[in-house]
């Protein structure tokens, strides 16, 4: 028995024809019946060539998301096999991303592991209809005691889904200390930001700390380290640990009061002396008193995505240019700037252009010490640019 078939328009220039896993509603000849929403249907081009099998939702702008080139059934056996394969592709760590949506062939499912608990985000109707089985398969693959559903992302509304936060057991998950890369963090995985901790920057925490330690050795003096958009403070904690006694001051800035409270708690727990200020980073950078302050030796810029939509990219580039320029203006000669973007609409050439423009305006000589990217447990699907979002540079500044 053949599966229901979605057909592309005759003149459709859909990216699915070159391997992208999505089909948009304006690219199809006609919608299928609504009772197929959340189910697997095939998709064919105008000539009848099979493009694969994917999940369908007539209520979404992304009407079809490919799951496989071959026929599949989204049952527990398929979920067990696919989630286990995703887990097997990761390293043996107990704190990691274990499922990354289309890059792991499970569209709309993102899952992170924190020791004996998994945090699960579901963003597609098909997986929402099978949420219990997804959680069961995830728990079986990881051997965790609890799965927390963080289904509170606004993107769910685009699939016609409600927002909710709950646990698999039905019991409230109590915030607790979790050790990540040798440092303790107080995590509220059920009610904190995103899935509770930004795992995509773990490699960068260590990388920046290593560069800071080399800089301190080269300068032969303690360093001043500034972390802008610091969230829970991991960049400062890692830098402090790597620098040892070669620290003059550590300062973190973030506009979220809960993030600053958490950063202070984490620093105290790890016996690290750091100052944290709750403030708008742009306002803080542009305050007149910055011009008269002692310059910083290391500055980390890890802002939230300024370009959440392609139409907002132009304004976002101005924002990135502004904060990078201000950072360069308060950075000491020979200092280090680590700068990042987590917007998939912003390509590497865009970020490089921002850095070049800021360096030119600041009249600073800037060289690249390291190119930065999302870690391997956030894999990039080559035919899907949207799966790649984290880019950055560690820069030497003179």
């Amino acid at each position: 028995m053949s599966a229901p078939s979605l057909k592309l328009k005759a003149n459709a220039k859909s990216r699915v024809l070159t391997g992208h896993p999505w089909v948009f509603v304006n690219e199809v000849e006609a919608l299928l019946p609504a009772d197929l929403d959340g189910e697997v249907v095939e998709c064919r081009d105008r000539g009848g060539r099979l493009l694969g099998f994917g999940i369908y939702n007539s209520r979404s702008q992304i009407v079809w998301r490919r799951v496989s080139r071959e026929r599949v059934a989204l049952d527990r056996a398929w979920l067990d096999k696919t989630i286990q394969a995703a887990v097997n592709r990761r390293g043996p760590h107990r704190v990691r991303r274990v499922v990354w949506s289309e890059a792991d062939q499970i569209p709309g499912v993102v899952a992170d592991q924190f020791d004996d608990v998994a945090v699960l985000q579901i963003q597609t109707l098909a997986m929402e209809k099978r949420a219990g089985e997804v959680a069961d398969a995830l728990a079986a693959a990881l051997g965790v005691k609890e799965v927390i559903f963080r289904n509170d992302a606004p993107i769910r509304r685009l699939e016609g889904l409600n927002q909710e936060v709950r646990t698999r057991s039905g019991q409230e998950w109590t915030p607790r200390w979790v050790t990540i890369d040798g440092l303790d963090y107080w995590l509220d995985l059920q009610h904190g930001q995103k899935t509770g901790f930004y795992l995509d920057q773990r490699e960068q925490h260590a990388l920046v700390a290593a560069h800071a330690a080399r800089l301190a050795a080269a300068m032969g003096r303690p360093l001043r380290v500034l972390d802008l958009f610091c969230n829970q403070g991991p960049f400062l904690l890692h830098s402090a640990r790597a620098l040892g006694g070669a620290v003059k001051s550590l300062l973190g800035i973030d506009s979220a009061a809960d993030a600053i409270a958490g950063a202070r708690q984490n620093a105290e727990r790890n016996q690290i002396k750091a100052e944290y200020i709750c403030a708008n980073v742009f306002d803080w950078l542009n305050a007149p008193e910055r011009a008269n302050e002692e310059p910083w030796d290391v500055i980390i810029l890890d802002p939230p995505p300024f370009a959440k939509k392609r139409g907002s990219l132009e304004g976002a580039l101005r924002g990135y240019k502004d904060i990078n320029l201000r950072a360069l203006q308060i950075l000491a000669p020979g200092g280090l700037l680590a700068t990042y973007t987590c917007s998939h609409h912003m390509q590497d050439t865009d970020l490089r252009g921002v850095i070049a423009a800021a360096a030119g305006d600041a009249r600073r000589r800037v060289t690249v010490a390291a190119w930065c990217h999302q870690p391997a447990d956030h894999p990039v699907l080559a035919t899907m640019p949207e799966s790649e979002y984290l880019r950055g540079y560690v820069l030497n500044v003179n």
Side-chain angles (χ1 to χ4, degrees):
M1 182 177 179
S2 62
S5 185
L6 197 65
K7 188 170 288 188
L8 297 184
K9 289 179 180 177
N11 60 348
K13 296 181 180 179
S14 175
R15 290 183 296 167
V16 75
L17 296 172
T18 55
H20 197 284
W22 292 351
V23 171
F24 287 84
V25 67
N26 62 352
E27 297 171 345
V28 299
E29 221 175 46
L31 292 176
L32 299 175
D35 59 5
L36 291 172
D37 287 351
E39 302 303 325
V40 174
V41 304
E42 67 178 29
C43 184
R44 294 180 180 271
D45 66 15
R46 193 65 183 87
R49 178 171 64 101
L50 179 65
L51 300 172
F53 295 83
I55 55 177
Y56 175 75
N57 186 357
S58 64
R59 291 177 283 178
S60 175
Q61 289 297 305
I62 305 173
V63 72
W64 186 83
R65 301 171 190 251
R66 182 167 47 230
V67 173
S68 174
R69 298 281 184 177
E70 302 174 351
R71 188 185 301 275
V72 293
L74 299 188
D75 53 19
R76 176 61 191 274
W78 179 85
L79 287 168
D80 280 334
K81 176 183 176 181
T82 309
I83 289 176
Q84 187 63 62
V87 171
N88 292 345
R89 283 191 286 271
R90 270 68 179 179
H93 308 289
R94 294 285 292 175
V95 178
R96 55 188 174 165
R97 173 146 293 178
V98 289
V99 178
W100 178 222
S101 200
E102 278 87 351
D104 285 307
Q105 293 186 277
I106 317 176
V109 172
V110 177
D112 289 343
Q113 180 182 7
F114 297 89
D115 290 334
D116 63 353
V117 61
V119 182
L120 173 64
Q121 294 178 306
I122 296 178
Q123 299 170 353
T124 52
L125 175 61
M127 298 306 165
E128 177 74 4
K129 292 175 71 170
R130 298 159 179 84
E133 290 182 301
V134 172
D136 290 347
L138 187 63
L142 298 175
V144 295
K145 297 177 181 177
E146 181 65 282
V147 177
I148 300 172
F149 291 85
R150 286 302 304 267
N151 292 335
D152 51 349
I155 196 171
R156 281 172 58 89
R157 298 181 187 137
L158 302 179
E159 286 275 308
L161 303 175
N162 295 325
Q163 293 177 290
E164 65 167 6
V165 177
R166 61 184 176 88
T167 64
R168 178 172 175 248
S169 69
Q171 303 297 313
E172 188 80 2
W173 192 83
T174 306
R176 64 198 65 173
W177 290 106
V178 177
T179 301
I180 303 174
D181 299 325
L183 292 162
D184 291 341
Y185 297 89
W186 183 255
L187 300 187
D188 184 354
L189 299 180
Q190 190 165 348
H191 301 292
Q193 293 185 29
K194 300 284 186 168
T195 62
F197 188 87
Y198 291 104
L199 294 176
D200 51 7
Q201 284 287 39
R202 286 177 61 194
E203 292 180 358
Q204 300 308 310
H205 301 153
L207 177 67
V208 172
H211 277 278
R214 285 194 288 271
L215 180 63
M219 288 188 165
R221 61 171 176 80
L223 303 185
R224 282 166 49 82
V225 183
L226 173 63
D227 185 6
L228 301 172
F229 308 98
C230 66
N231 197 253
Q232 295 154 294
F235 274 109
L236 284 188
L237 298 186
H238 280 265
S239 294
R241 185 173 63 175
L243 289 168
V247 174
K248 185 172 183 180
S249 59
L250 302 168
L251 176 62
I253 312 287
D254 201 288
S255 62
D258 57 342
I260 289 296
R264 289 170 178 159
Q265 190 175 12
N266 294 335
E268 182 179 1
R269 170 79 172 194
N270 291 283
Q271 299 182 334
I272 291 170
K273 292 182 179 180
E275 181 185 0
Y276 291 96
I277 298 174
C278 185
N280 178 286
V281 169
F282 286 91
D283 292 343
W284 187 88
L285 281 170
N286 290 314
E289 57 266 29
R290 295 289 88 76
N292 300 316
E293 289 182 347
E294 181 182 355
W296 297 89
D297 300 300
V298 178
I299 298 178
I300 301 109
L301 282 175
D302 186 22
F306 294 161
K308 294 185 177 180
K309 297 179 180 179
R310 184 171 295 279
S312 62
L313 180 59
E314 184 177 346
L317 291 175
R318 288 194 296 271
Y320 284 112
K321 157 77 179 304
D322 185 36
I323 58 170
N324 279 276
L325 172 59
R326 294 297 295 121
L328 289 172
Q329 290 171 334
I330 61 173
L331 190 66
L336 197 72
L337 173 62
T339 183
Y340 302 93
T341 173
C342 58
S343 171
H344 76 260
H345 294 296
M346 190 169 176
Q347 302 300 306
D348 183 69
T349 52
D350 297 319
L351 180 57
R352 184 80 69 89
V354 160
I355 293 168
D361 286 357
R363 299 189 177 189
R364 306 297 295 269
R365 182 174 182 273
V366 175
T367 56
V368 176
W371 282 265
C372 309
H373 197 264
Q374 66 205 65
D377 61 3
H378 293 62
V380 175
L381 183 61
T383 56
M384 185 184 182
E386 293 84 353
S387 63
E388 181 180 14
Y389 69 97
L390 181 61
R391 299 172 176 87
Y393 289 89
V394 177
L395 304 167
N396 292 317
V397 180
N398 288 287

